[in-house]
Amino acid sequence: MNKIYPDANTALRGIVKDSQTIAVGGFGLCGIPEALIKALCDSKVQNLTVISNNAGVDGFGLGQLLSTRQIKKMISSYVGENKEFERQYLAGELELEFTPQGTLAEKLRAGGAGIPAFFTKTGVGTVVAEGKEVREFDGQKYVMERSLVADVSLVKAYKADKSGNLIYRKTARNFNPNVAAAGKITIVEVEQIVETGEFDPDEIHTPGIYVHRIVLNANPEKRIEQRTLMNRTG
């Protein structure tokens, strides 16, 4: 089975549709599938529910989809530096399901592992727990969280082999492995593609069984979200 597609637009063709739930890897602008997000924007699909740690920045990453009003709901843990995200939410134009960051990671991991729900202490006694089951274990209260499974997952990895085995690079690993496992269909953007068998099995972070389509983006922009300069004197 050939998993490699010539470009991001072709990789999404026939897969993405209106009103789907899309999970997107990355943390801020680190480890985001830039080309796949742009292709999703170009696809013109509407009314998306997007699961991601945040929504990028204005005009880049998932911020592009906010600008074009293709997202109806975000499931995320951080509004971040995106002013349009903040504006749409406060204006009532965008639904937002705030989720503590560790809980979001576990909801995706559990979804990928086939676990429908789990209990956590995070959020007990706060708005996070409103409308959710709270149960006591060993004298402590825990809130039940449902896992997350996406119709489509968009993932950024550093390398893939032709079978779809993935290696992530340093902090760009972030949410990507959990997002990859949680998708019914997983599409991956990588900087390098090698022959099957070139990876040491111990190096592989995501097995190819989770990956359905691969697209090469050898030179991503990798924009810096916040640039901080230090003036050293003396």
Side-chain angles (χ1 to χ4, degrees):
M1 178 180 178
N2 181 22
K3 297 183 178 183
I4 300 172
Y5 284 70
D7 55 65
N9 294 83
T10 305
L12 296 189
R13 191 170 300 152
I15 299 296
V16 295
K17 302 174 183 177
D18 291 348
S19 304
Q20 285 182 322
T21 296
I22 310 286
V24 183
F27 184 95
L29 298 182
C30 177
I32 64 170
E34 297 175 17
L36 289 173
I37 292 172
K38 179 61 167 60
L40 185 61
C41 187
D42 292 342
S43 74
K44 308 299 183 185
V45 293
Q46 302 292 321
N47 299 317
L48 298 175
T49 295
V50 175
I51 306 165
S52 184
N53 178 63
N54 60 45
V57 297
D58 294 290
F60 191 72
L62 289 174
Q64 298 168 92
L65 293 164
L66 289 174
S67 298
T68 54
R69 304 300 184 91
Q70 290 169 262
I71 300 175
K72 72 169 183 179
K73 180 179 180 180
M74 285 292 306
I75 301 175
S76 60
S77 62
Y78 182 51
V79 173
E81 317 305 320
N82 194 315
K83 297 298 182 183
E84 181 61 15
F85 188 173
E86 180 182 7
R87 189 201 67 75
Q88 287 187 25
Y89 171 61
L90 294 176
E93 300 169 4
L94 176 71
E95 297 176 52
L96 176 60
E97 186 177 317
F98 261 136
T99 306
Q101 188 160 266
T103 301
L104 180 62
E106 181 60 14
K107 284 163 76 79
L108 288 162
R109 190 205 68 81
I115 299 169
F118 59 91
F119 285 90
T120 176
K121 292 180 71 174
T122 303
V124 172
T126 73
V127 294
V128 170
E130 289 181 2
K132 300 174 182 176
E133 179 183 349
V134 176
R135 191 181 297 184
E136 189 172 301
F137 296 91
D138 301 321
Q140 300 289 324
K141 290 183 177 180
Y142 294 77
V143 60
M144 190 182 80
E145 294 283 358
R146 294 294 306 269
S147 63
L148 290 169
V149 175
D151 296 308
V152 180
S153 284
L154 305 182
V155 171
K156 167 64 190 295
Y158 179 45
K159 297 180 182 180
D161 66 19
K162 290 183 177 180
S163 294
N165 297 303
L166 304 180
I167 293 175
Y168 306 98
R169 187 172 185 271
K170 299 183 179 181
T171 55
R173 187 170 174 178
N174 52 58
F175 277 80
N176 279 296
N178 290 339
V179 168
K184 295 177 183 177
I185 297 175
T186 295
I187 305 172
V188 183
E189 173 183 329
V190 299
E191 296 176 45
Q192 297 180 32
I193 299 174
V194 303
E195 294 295 329
T196 298
E198 287 194 25
F199 292 157
D200 182 325
D202 285 339
E203 294 180 314
I204 295 170
H205 298 132
T206 294
I209 193 171
Y210 290 107
V211 175
H212 301 85
R213 297 186 175 189
I214 305 165
V215 62
L216 179 67
N217 181 12
N219 297 293
E221 183 176 343
K222 296 185 180 179
R223 190 179 300 186
I224 296 174
E225 187 171 355
Q226 286 191 13
R227 187 181 297 274
T228 302
L229 302 177
M230 181 180 293
N231 184 18
R232 294 186 177 183
T233 59

